[in-house]
Amino acid sequence: MTSEQEKLLDELLEKDSGLTGWEMDFIDDMDQKFRERPLSEKQADALLRVWEKVM
């Protein structure tokens, strides 16, 4: 995960509203399993879409 992606993830983790159940599960999964691993293009796109929706 790039530092920019970590920043987006951190901002999403601070939000407690506006996320669907799937989005919350996705964000939690990214936080627990992918901070030290590169994201696939699909994962990176999903992270950005969730961030754009909520922020």
Side-chain angles (χ1 to χ4, degrees):
M1 182 177 291
T2 67
S3 60
E4 183 177 321
Q5 290 167 336
E6 281 193 66
K7 181 181 173 190
L8 298 179
L9 180 60
D10 290 339
E11 289 177 10
L12 286 169
L13 288 167
E14 291 177 9
K15 294 292 265 186
D16 57 356
S17 63
L19 294 172
T20 66
W22 179 88
E23 291 165 341
M24 288 186 290
D25 290 343
F26 175 75
I27 295 305
D28 287 340
D29 193 49
M30 291 289 105
D31 185 37
Q32 294 175 15
K33 299 177 184 173
F34 290 92
R35 286 203 180 252
E36 301 300 321
R37 297 172 47 189
L39 299 182
S40 70
E41 186 175 330
K42 187 175 179 179
Q43 290 168 321
D45 289 344
L47 179 63
L48 185 58
R49 276 194 315 273
V50 171
W51 185 85
E52 287 174 340
K53 174 189 167 194
V54 176
M55 304 312 235

mmCIF file with all atom_site columns, all heavy atoms in Angstrom, residues 7-25:
data_model
loop_
_atom_site.group_PDB
_atom_site.id
_atom_site.type_symbol
_atom_site.label_atom_id
_atom_site.label_alt_id
_atom_site.label_comp_id
_atom_site.label_asym_id
_atom_site.label_entity_id
_atom_site.label_seq_id
_atom_site.pdbx_PDB_ins_code
_atom_site.Cartn_x
_atom_site.Cartn_y
_atom_site.Cartn_z
_atom_site.occupancy
_atom_site.B_iso_or_equiv
_atom_site.pdbx_formal_charge
_atom_site.auth_seq_id
_atom_site.auth_comp_id
_atom_site.auth_asym_id
_atom_site.auth_atom_id
_atom_site.pdbx_PDB_model_num
ATOM 1   N N   . LYS A 1 7  ? -3.051  7.026  3.691  1.00 0.00 ? 7  LYS A N   1
ATOM 2   C CA  . LYS A 1 7  ? -3.708  8.256  4.145  1.00 0.00 ? 7  LYS A CA  1
ATOM 3   C C   . LYS A 1 7  ? -5.216  8.173  3.906  1.00 0.00 ? 7  LYS A C   1
ATOM 4   O O   . LYS A 1 7  ? -6.003  8.521  4.784  1.00 0.00 ? 7  LYS A O   1
ATOM 5   C CB  . LYS A 1 7  ? -3.118  9.471  3.426  1.00 0.00 ? 7  LYS A CB  1
ATOM 6   C CG  . LYS A 1 7  ? -3.719  10.781 3.853  1.00 0.00 ? 7  LYS A CG  1
ATOM 7   C CD  . LYS A 1 7  ? -3.111  11.945 3.101  1.00 0.00 ? 7  LYS A CD  1
ATOM 8   C CE  . LYS A 1 7  ? -3.863  13.216 3.443  1.00 0.00 ? 7  LYS A CE  1
ATOM 9   N NZ  . LYS A 1 7  ? -3.477  14.328 2.585  1.00 0.00 ? 7  LYS A NZ  1
ATOM 10  N N   . LEU A 1 8  ? -5.614  7.711  2.713  1.00 0.00 ? 8  LEU A N   1
ATOM 11  C CA  . LEU A 1 8  ? -7.038  7.551  2.414  1.00 0.00 ? 8  LEU A CA  1
ATOM 12  C C   . LEU A 1 8  ? -7.678  6.570  3.382  1.00 0.00 ? 8  LEU A C   1
ATOM 13  O O   . LEU A 1 8  ? -8.767  6.826  3.910  1.00 0.00 ? 8  LEU A O   1
ATOM 14  C CB  . LEU A 1 8  ? -7.242  7.049  0.977  1.00 0.00 ? 8  LEU A CB  1
ATOM 15  C CG  . LEU A 1 8  ? -6.762  7.940  -0.164 1.00 0.00 ? 8  LEU A CG  1
ATOM 16  C CD1 . LEU A 1 8  ? -7.037  7.268  -1.504 1.00 0.00 ? 8  LEU A CD1 1
ATOM 17  C CD2 . LEU A 1 8  ? -7.389  9.305  -0.108 1.00 0.00 ? 8  LEU A CD2 1
ATOM 18  N N   . LEU A 1 9  ? -7.004  5.457  3.625  1.00 0.00 ? 9  LEU A N   1
ATOM 19  C CA  . LEU A 1 9  ? -7.520  4.441  4.540  1.00 0.00 ? 9  LEU A CA  1
ATOM 20  C C   . LEU A 1 9  ? -7.666  5.012  5.944  1.00 0.00 ? 9  LEU A C   1
ATOM 21  O O   . LEU A 1 9  ? -8.695  4.814  6.594  1.00 0.00 ? 9  LEU A O   1
ATOM 22  C CB  . LEU A 1 9  ? -6.589  3.227  4.545  1.00 0.00 ? 9  LEU A CB  1
ATOM 23  C CG  . LEU A 1 9  ? -6.991  2.075  5.451  1.00 0.00 ? 9  LEU A CG  1
ATOM 24  C CD1 . LEU A 1 9  ? -8.356  1.523  5.071  1.00 0.00 ? 9  LEU A CD1 1
ATOM 25  C CD2 . LEU A 1 9  ? -5.935  0.985  5.415  1.00 0.00 ? 9  LEU A CD2 1
ATOM 26  N N   . ASP A 1 10 ? -6.668  5.736  6.418  1.00 0.00 ? 10 ASP A N   1
ATOM 27  C CA  . ASP A 1 10 ? -6.738  6.341  7.755  1.00 0.00 ? 10 ASP A CA  1
ATOM 28  C C   . ASP A 1 10 ? -7.917  7.303  7.869  1.00 0.00 ? 10 ASP A C   1
ATOM 29  O O   . ASP A 1 10 ? -8.626  7.316  8.877  1.00 0.00 ? 10 ASP A O   1
ATOM 30  C CB  . ASP A 1 10 ? -5.438  7.056  8.095  1.00 0.00 ? 10 ASP A CB  1
ATOM 31  C CG  . ASP A 1 10 ? -4.280  6.095  8.333  1.00 0.00 ? 10 ASP A CG  1
ATOM 32  O OD1 . ASP A 1 10 ? -4.536  4.912  8.634  1.00 0.00 ? 10 ASP A OD1 1
ATOM 33  O OD2 . ASP A 1 10 ? -3.117  6.537  8.205  1.00 0.00 ? 10 ASP A OD2 1
ATOM 34  N N   . GLU A 1 11 ? -8.144  8.097  6.830  1.00 0.00 ? 11 GLU A N   1
ATOM 35  C CA  . GLU A 1 11 ? -9.272  9.027  6.850  1.00 0.00 ? 11 GLU A CA  1
ATOM 36  C C   . GLU A 1 11 ? -10.595 8.274  6.885  1.00 0.00 ? 11 GLU A C   1
ATOM 37  O O   . GLU A 1 11 ? -11.525 8.672  7.588  1.00 0.00 ? 11 GLU A O   1
ATOM 38  C CB  . GLU A 1 11 ? -9.215  9.956  5.640  1.00 0.00 ? 11 GLU A CB  1
ATOM 39  C CG  . GLU A 1 11 ? -8.092  10.971 5.720  1.00 0.00 ? 11 GLU A CG  1
ATOM 40  C CD  . GLU A 1 11 ? -7.996  11.857 4.487  1.00 0.00 ? 11 GLU A CD  1
ATOM 41  O OE1 . GLU A 1 11 ? -8.898  11.836 3.636  1.00 0.00 ? 11 GLU A OE1 1
ATOM 42  O OE2 . GLU A 1 11 ? -6.986  12.582 4.376  1.00 0.00 ? 11 GLU A OE2 1
ATOM 43  N N   . LEU A 1 12 ? -10.682 7.191  6.124  1.00 0.00 ? 12 LEU A N   1
ATOM 44  C CA  . LEU A 1 12 ? -11.909 6.397  6.129  1.00 0.00 ? 12 LEU A CA  1
ATOM 45  C C   . LEU A 1 12 ? -12.138 5.726  7.471  1.00 0.00 ? 12 LEU A C   1
ATOM 46  O O   . LEU A 1 12 ? -13.281 5.614  7.930  1.00 0.00 ? 12 LEU A O   1
ATOM 47  C CB  . LEU A 1 12 ? -11.861 5.346  5.018  1.00 0.00 ? 12 LEU A CB  1
ATOM 48  C CG  . LEU A 1 12 ? -12.063 5.885  3.605  1.00 0.00 ? 12 LEU A CG  1
ATOM 49  C CD1 . LEU A 1 12 ? -11.723 4.830  2.575  1.00 0.00 ? 12 LEU A CD1 1
ATOM 50  C CD2 . LEU A 1 12 ? -13.488 6.385  3.424  1.00 0.00 ? 12 LEU A CD2 1
ATOM 51  N N   . LEU A 1 13 ? -11.077 5.266  8.110  1.00 0.00 ? 13 LEU A N   1
ATOM 52  C CA  . LEU A 1 13 ? -11.214 4.624  9.412  1.00 0.00 ? 13 LEU A CA  1
ATOM 53  C C   . LEU A 1 13 ? -11.722 5.602  10.473 1.00 0.00 ? 13 LEU A C   1
ATOM 54  O O   . LEU A 1 13 ? -12.350 5.186  11.450 1.00 0.00 ? 13 LEU A O   1
ATOM 55  C CB  . LEU A 1 13 ? -9.882  4.010  9.846  1.00 0.00 ? 13 LEU A CB  1
ATOM 56  C CG  . LEU A 1 13 ? -9.470  2.753  9.082  1.00 0.00 ? 13 LEU A CG  1
ATOM 57  C CD1 . LEU A 1 13 ? -8.008  2.421  9.356  1.00 0.00 ? 13 LEU A CD1 1
ATOM 58  C CD2 . LEU A 1 13 ? -10.376 1.589  9.423  1.00 0.00 ? 13 LEU A CD2 1
ATOM 59  N N   . GLU A 1 14 ? -11.464 6.880  10.289 1.00 0.00 ? 14 GLU A N   1
ATOM 60  C CA  . GLU A 1 14 ? -11.937 7.893  11.233 1.00 0.00 ? 14 GLU A CA  1
ATOM 61  C C   . GLU A 1 14 ? -13.416 8.205  11.043 1.00 0.00 ? 14 GLU A C   1
ATOM 62  O O   . GLU A 1 14 ? -14.057 8.703  11.957 1.00 0.00 ? 14 GLU A O   1
ATOM 63  C CB  . GLU A 1 14 ? -11.108 9.163  11.094 1.00 0.00 ? 14 GLU A CB  1
ATOM 64  C CG  . GLU A 1 14 ? -9.688  9.000  11.577 1.00 0.00 ? 14 GLU A CG  1
ATOM 65  C CD  . GLU A 1 14 ? -8.848  10.255 11.368 1.00 0.00 ? 14 GLU A CD  1
ATOM 66  O OE1 . GLU A 1 14 ? -9.396  11.312 11.003 1.00 0.00 ? 14 GLU A OE1 1
ATOM 67  O OE2 . GLU A 1 14 ? -7.628  10.168 11.565 1.00 0.00 ? 14 GLU A OE2 1
ATOM 68  N N   . LYS A 1 15 ? -13.949 7.920  9.848  1.00 0.00 ? 15 LYS A N   1
ATOM 69  C CA  . LYS A 1 15 ? -15.362 8.166  9.584  1.00 0.00 ? 15 LYS A CA  1
ATOM 70  C C   . LYS A 1 15 ? -16.188 7.057  10.219 1.00 0.00 ? 15 LYS A C   1
ATOM 71  O O   . LYS A 1 15 ? -15.807 5.906  10.181 1.00 0.00 ? 15 LYS A O   1
ATOM 72  C CB  . LYS A 1 15 ? -15.656 8.189  8.079  1.00 0.00 ? 15 LYS A CB  1
ATOM 73  C CG  . LYS A 1 15 ? -15.028 9.333  7.336  1.00 0.00 ? 15 LYS A CG  1
ATOM 74  C CD  . LYS A 1 15 ? -15.641 10.629 7.724  1.00 0.00 ? 15 LYS A CD  1
ATOM 75  C CE  . LYS A 1 15 ? -16.732 11.013 6.778  1.00 0.00 ? 15 LYS A CE  1
ATOM 76  N NZ  . LYS A 1 15 ? -17.271 12.331 7.042  1.00 0.00 ? 15 LYS A NZ  1
ATOM 77  N N   . ASP A 1 16 ? -17.304 7.423  10.789 1.00 0.00 ? 16 ASP A N   1
ATOM 78  C CA  . ASP A 1 16 ? -18.164 6.393  11.362 1.00 0.00 ? 16 ASP A CA  1
ATOM 79  C C   . ASP A 1 16 ? -19.560 6.410  10.757 1.00 0.00 ? 16 ASP A C   1
ATOM 80  O O   . ASP A 1 16 ? -20.454 5.733  11.218 1.00 0.00 ? 16 ASP A O   1
ATOM 81  C CB  . ASP A 1 16 ? -18.240 6.531  12.880 1.00 0.00 ? 16 ASP A CB  1
ATOM 82  C CG  . ASP A 1 16 ? -18.740 7.894  13.313 1.00 0.00 ? 16 ASP A CG  1
ATOM 83  O OD1 . ASP A 1 16 ? -18.960 8.756  12.453 1.00 0.00 ? 16 ASP A OD1 1
ATOM 84  O OD2 . ASP A 1 16 ? -18.920 8.090  14.526 1.00 0.00 ? 16 ASP A OD2 1
ATOM 85  N N   . SER A 1 17 ? -19.745 7.198  9.716  1.00 0.00 ? 17 SER A N   1
ATOM 86  C CA  . SER A 1 17 ? -21.052 7.220  9.065  1.00 0.00 ? 17 SER A CA  1
ATOM 87  C C   . SER A 1 17 ? -20.864 7.325  7.560  1.00 0.00 ? 17 SER A C   1
ATOM 88  O O   . SER A 1 17 ? -19.801 7.720  7.077  1.00 0.00 ? 17 SER A O   1
ATOM 89  C CB  . SER A 1 17 ? -21.886 8.396  9.571  1.00 0.00 ? 17 SER A CB  1
ATOM 90  O OG  . SER A 1 17 ? -21.260 9.608  9.233  1.00 0.00 ? 17 SER A OG  1
ATOM 91  N N   . GLY A 1 18 ? -21.894 6.957  6.853  1.00 0.00 ? 18 GLY A N   1
ATOM 92  C CA  . GLY A 1 18 ? -21.861 7.068  5.404  1.00 0.00 ? 18 GLY A CA  1
ATOM 93  C C   . GLY A 1 18 ? -21.289 5.857  4.690  1.00 0.00 ? 18 GLY A C   1
ATOM 94  O O   . GLY A 1 18 ? -21.218 5.845  3.469  1.00 0.00 ? 18 GLY A O   1
ATOM 95  N N   . LEU A 1 19 ? -20.877 4.830  5.445  1.00 0.00 ? 19 LEU A N   1
ATOM 96  C CA  . LEU A 1 19 ? -20.324 3.630  4.830  1.00 0.00 ? 19 LEU A CA  1
ATOM 97  C C   . LEU A 1 19 ? -21.341 2.498  4.890  1.00 0.00 ? 19 LEU A C   1
ATOM 98  O O   . LEU A 1 19 ? -22.017 2.318  5.900  1.00 0.00 ? 19 LEU A O   1
ATOM 99  C CB  . LEU A 1 19 ? -19.051 3.181  5.554  1.00 0.00 ? 19 LEU A CB  1
ATOM 100 C CG  . LEU A 1 19 ? -17.842 4.105  5.473  1.00 0.00 ? 19 LEU A CG  1
ATOM 101 C CD1 . LEU A 1 19 ? -16.743 3.610  6.402  1.00 0.00 ? 19 LEU A CD1 1
ATOM 102 C CD2 . LEU A 1 19 ? -17.318 4.183  4.059  1.00 0.00 ? 19 LEU A CD2 1
ATOM 103 N N   . THR A 1 20 ? -21.429 1.731  3.813  1.00 0.00 ? 20 THR A N   1
ATOM 104 C CA  . THR A 1 20 ? -22.277 0.544  3.810  1.00 0.00 ? 20 THR A CA  1
ATOM 105 C C   . THR A 1 20 ? -21.555 -0.572 4.574  1.00 0.00 ? 20 THR A C   1
ATOM 106 O O   . THR A 1 20 ? -20.366 -0.457 4.877  1.00 0.00 ? 20 THR A O   1
ATOM 107 C CB  . THR A 1 20 ? -22.556 0.066  2.379  1.00 0.00 ? 20 THR A CB  1
ATOM 108 O OG1 . THR A 1 20 ? -21.325 -0.389 1.787  1.00 0.00 ? 20 THR A OG1 1
ATOM 109 C CG2 . THR A 1 20 ? -23.186 1.160  1.524  1.00 0.00 ? 20 THR A CG2 1
ATOM 110 N N   . GLY A 1 21 ? -22.259 -1.643 4.834  1.00 0.00 ? 21 GLY A N   1
ATOM 111 C CA  . GLY A 1 21 ? -21.644 -2.785 5.502  1.00 0.00 ? 21 GLY A CA  1
ATOM 112 C C   . GLY A 1 21 ? -20.471 -3.323 4.708  1.00 0.00 ? 21 GLY A C   1
ATOM 113 O O   . GLY A 1 21 ? -19.412 -3.631 5.273  1.00 0.00 ? 21 GLY A O   1
ATOM 114 N N   . TRP A 1 22 ? -20.637 -3.447 3.394  1.00 0.00 ? 22 TRP A N   1
ATOM 115 C CA  . TRP A 1 22 ? -19.548 -3.943 2.550  1.00 0.00 ? 22 TRP A CA  1
ATOM 116 C C   . TRP A 1 22 ? -18.343 -3.009 2.625  1.00 0.00 ? 22 TRP A C   1
ATOM 117 O O   . TRP A 1 22 ? -17.211 -3.461 2.724  1.00 0.00 ? 22 TRP A O   1
ATOM 118 C CB  . TRP A 1 22 ? -20.003 -4.081 1.093  1.00 0.00 ? 22 TRP A CB  1
ATOM 119 C CG  . TRP A 1 22 ? -18.892 -4.564 0.205  1.00 0.00 ? 22 TRP A CG  1
ATOM 120 C CD1 . TRP A 1 22 ? -18.584 -5.858 -0.048 1.00 0.00 ? 22 TRP A CD1 1
ATOM 121 C CD2 . TRP A 1 22 ? -17.925 -3.763 -0.486 1.00 0.00 ? 22 TRP A CD2 1
ATOM 122 N NE1 . TRP A 1 22 ? -17.470 -5.916 -0.877 1.00 0.00 ? 22 TRP A NE1 1
ATOM 123 C CE2 . TRP A 1 22 ? -17.046 -4.643 -1.153 1.00 0.00 ? 22 TRP A CE2 1
ATOM 124 C CE3 . TRP A 1 22 ? -17.696 -2.400 -0.608 1.00 0.00 ? 22 TRP A CE3 1
ATOM 125 C CZ2 . TRP A 1 22 ? -15.987 -4.201 -1.934 1.00 0.00 ? 22 TRP A CZ2 1
ATOM 126 C CZ3 . TRP A 1 22 ? -16.644 -1.962 -1.385 1.00 0.00 ? 22 TRP A CZ3 1
ATOM 127 C CH2 . TRP A 1 22 ? -15.797 -2.859 -2.033 1.00 0.00 ? 22 TRP A CH2 1
ATOM 128 N N   . GLU A 1 23 ? -18.600 -1.703 2.571  1.00 0.00 ? 23 GLU A N   1
ATOM 129 C CA  . GLU A 1 23 ? -17.504 -0.733 2.621  1.00 0.00 ? 23 GLU A CA  1
ATOM 130 C C   . GLU A 1 23 ? -16.765 -0.796 3.959  1.00 0.00 ? 23 GLU A C   1
ATOM 131 O O   . GLU A 1 23 ? -15.535 -0.737 3.983  1.00 0.00 ? 23 GLU A O   1
ATOM 132 C CB  . GLU A 1 23 ? -18.037 0.678  2.364  1.00 0.00 ? 23 GLU A CB  1
ATOM 133 C CG  . GLU A 1 23 ? -18.501 0.866  0.933  1.00 0.00 ? 23 GLU A CG  1
ATOM 134 C CD  . GLU A 1 23 ? -19.359 2.101  0.722  1.00 0.00 ? 23 GLU A CD  1
ATOM 135 O OE1 . GLU A 1 23 ? -19.914 2.652  1.705  1.00 0.00 ? 23 GLU A OE1 1
ATOM 136 O OE2 . GLU A 1 23 ? -19.489 2.524  -0.436 1.00 0.00 ? 23 GLU A OE2 1
ATOM 137 N N   . MET A 1 24 ? -17.499 -0.936 5.048  1.00 0.00 ? 24 MET A N   1
ATOM 138 C CA  . MET A 1 24 ? -16.846 -1.056 6.362  1.00 0.00 ? 24 MET A CA  1
ATOM 139 C C   . MET A 1 24 ? -15.987 -2.323 6.425  1.00 0.00 ? 24 MET A C   1
ATOM 140 O O   . MET A 1 24 ? -14.862 -2.280 6.905  1.00 0.00 ? 24 MET A O   1
ATOM 141 C CB  . MET A 1 24 ? -17.888 -1.055 7.481  1.00 0.00 ? 24 MET A CB  1
ATOM 142 C CG  . MET A 1 24 ? -18.523 0.305  7.696  1.00 0.00 ? 24 MET A CG  1
ATOM 143 S SD  . MET A 1 24 ? -19.622 0.380  9.126  1.00 0.00 ? 24 MET A SD  1
ATOM 144 C CE  . MET A 1 24 ? -20.992 -0.621 8.580  1.00 0.00 ? 24 MET A CE  1
ATOM 145 N N   . ASP A 1 25 ? -16.522 -3.440 5.916  1.00 0.00 ? 25 ASP A N   1
ATOM 146 C CA  . ASP A 1 25 ? -15.753 -4.684 5.895  1.00 0.00 ? 25 ASP A CA  1
ATOM 147 C C   . ASP A 1 25 ? -14.509 -4.537 5.024  1.00 0.00 ? 25 ASP A C   1
ATOM 148 O O   . ASP A 1 25 ? -13.423 -5.003 5.384  1.00 0.00 ? 25 ASP A O   1
ATOM 149 C CB  . ASP A 1 25 ? -16.611 -5.841 5.382  1.00 0.00 ? 25 ASP A CB  1
ATOM 150 C CG  . ASP A 1 25 ? -17.705 -6.244 6.354  1.00 0.00 ? 25 ASP A CG  1
ATOM 151 O OD1 . ASP A 1 25 ? -17.627 -5.871 7.552  1.00 0.00 ? 25 ASP A OD1 1
ATOM 152 O OD2 . ASP A 1 25 ? -18.640 -6.943 5.916  1.00 0.00 ? 25 ASP A OD2 1
#
